[in-house]
Amino acid sequence: MKLLRLLANLGYGSRREMAQALRAGRVHDDQGVPLHPDSDIAHSRIRFDGQPLDPPQGMLLMLHKPGGVTCSHAGPGPLVHDLLPPRFARRRPPVASVGRLDRDTSGLLLLTDDGALLHRLTAPRSHVPKLYEAVLAQDLRGDEAALFASGSLTLKSDETPLAPAQLQVLGPRRARLVLHEGRYHQVRRMFAAVGNHVESLHRVAIGGLQLDGLEPGAWRLLDDADRAQLFAEPPAGTTATGRTMRP
Ligand code: URA
């Protein structure tokens, strides 16, 4: 791809701005040699204002979404895109969140410009497990794990029952839940169905991938090892049997 188009697609600026940047000598190779609009050079060797370029198409990143931030490109803020470099919002193809977290939910959110990966992670048949931790307004009754694991619970205004989900009780009002699908407000609606209310909700893991100390509001690019983790099992402690486990 021509350098001008590459830089514009990565969101560094419009083609006109990138033509100016090239004329002004802001784009070099890794040896400091200025590049021109037709330069044919490996992505990894290009420097913009002395910095390596953002990854090419196929970028995947994780964000520790804080509560109170909306998963959307537009609307009343703050938005998850406000936590990322502004050029990411100008990339073509666009960077989209992999599914959504409610405004009040915190935790692991993936964003990518890789349409095939997005589909693989969000398609109804993908079944990549997502692990949530919920703090509840009332004590658990004791029958929730069996009900959630039964595959027979149909939520209000849904037509089909939920896929079996695994509940791990951490305390009287604290639980972890592994879902294999992603319905609207699913965790909150599941606890509402058993007469409870979710006071706070945090996504701990997607597949085997966890935040691992990433601070709220921070993000990092994911590499091939992280991608492999995505398709691994969630962290130990939650069985696939739906049995309630007490620590
Ligand atoms: N379930 C919810 O209720 N909210 C989320 O943000 C994610 C899952």
Side-chain angles (χ1 to χ4, degrees):
M1 189 188 297
K2 290 281 165 56
L3 191 51
L4 205 60
R5 194 161 139 225
L6 172 72
L7 294 170
N9 285 356
L10 292 177
Y12 285 89
S14 65
R15 286 196 197 199
R16 213 173 105 232
E17 287 165 339
M18 291 304 91
Q20 281 166 357
L22 282 156
R23 276 199 299 275
R26 293 172 63 195
V27 191
H28 294 100
D29 72 8
D30 52 351
Q31 304 299 312
V33 178
L35 298 175
H36 54 83
D38 290 326
S39 294
D40 188 11
I41 178 171
H43 193 105
S44 59
R45 292 189 53 210
I46 305 170
R47 304 288 178 269
F48 189 93
D49 288 341
Q51 299 301 314
L53 290 188
D54 295 331
Q57 187 189 353
M59 181 172 79
L60 175 66
L61 63 93
M62 68 153 72
L63 170 74
H64 185 160
K65 178 191 167 311
V69 176
T70 305
C71 286
S72 170
H73 277 284
L79 310 173
V80 289
H81 283 278
D82 298 338
L83 298 169
L84 302 171
R87 63 180 178 275
F88 284 7
R90 297 190 294 259
R91 279 177 71 113
R92 291 289 170 268
V95 176
S97 68
V98 178
R100 286 173 177 233
L101 290 177
D102 300 338
R103 189 172 183 277
D104 291 335
T105 303
S106 60
L108 174 53
L109 182 72
L110 298 174
L111 294 109
T112 188
D113 62 354
D114 182 338
L117 181 66
L118 184 71
H119 180 75
R120 193 169 166 207
L121 290 167
T122 57
R125 268 176 291 181
S126 89
H127 304 305
V128 173
K130 293 169 200 87
L131 171 60
Y132 294 90
E133 191 163 321
V135 175
L136 303 163
Q138 293 172 51
D139 287 1
L140 288 154
R141 303 188 307 207
D143 62 344
E144 294 88 347
L147 181 63
F148 293 168
S150 68
S152 64
L153 174 64
T154 302
L155 297 175
K156 226 189 256 176
S157 66
D158 279 5
E159 288 182 353
T160 52
L162 296 174
Q166 292 78 50
L167 186 80
Q168 179 191 11
V169 176
L170 301 176
R173 297 187 180 187
R174 207 178 172 88
R176 285 187 159 197
L177 185 60
V178 179
L179 302 185
H180 303 266
E181 56 187 344
R183 302 197 194 184
Y184 179 68
H185 289 176
Q186 185 170 341
V187 176
R188 296 175 196 278
R189 290 163 68 222
M190 285 172 78
F191 282 106
V194 291
N196 216 322
H197 174 76
V198 172
E199 299 245 297
S200 76
L201 186 60
H202 180 79
R203 182 152 68 193
V204 176
I206 300 177
L209 187 69
Q210 301 185 66
L211 287 166
D212 278 335
L214 194 67
E215 295 293 321
W219 63 275
R220 74 171 176 86
L221 292 170
L222 299 186
D223 60 20
D224 288 347
D226 296 311
R227 279 174 194 250
Q229 278 301 307
L230 267 179
F231 298 100
E233 285 298 305
T238 310
T239 67
T241 62
R243 208 174 57 231
T244 300
M245 297 186 297
R246 293 185 187 274

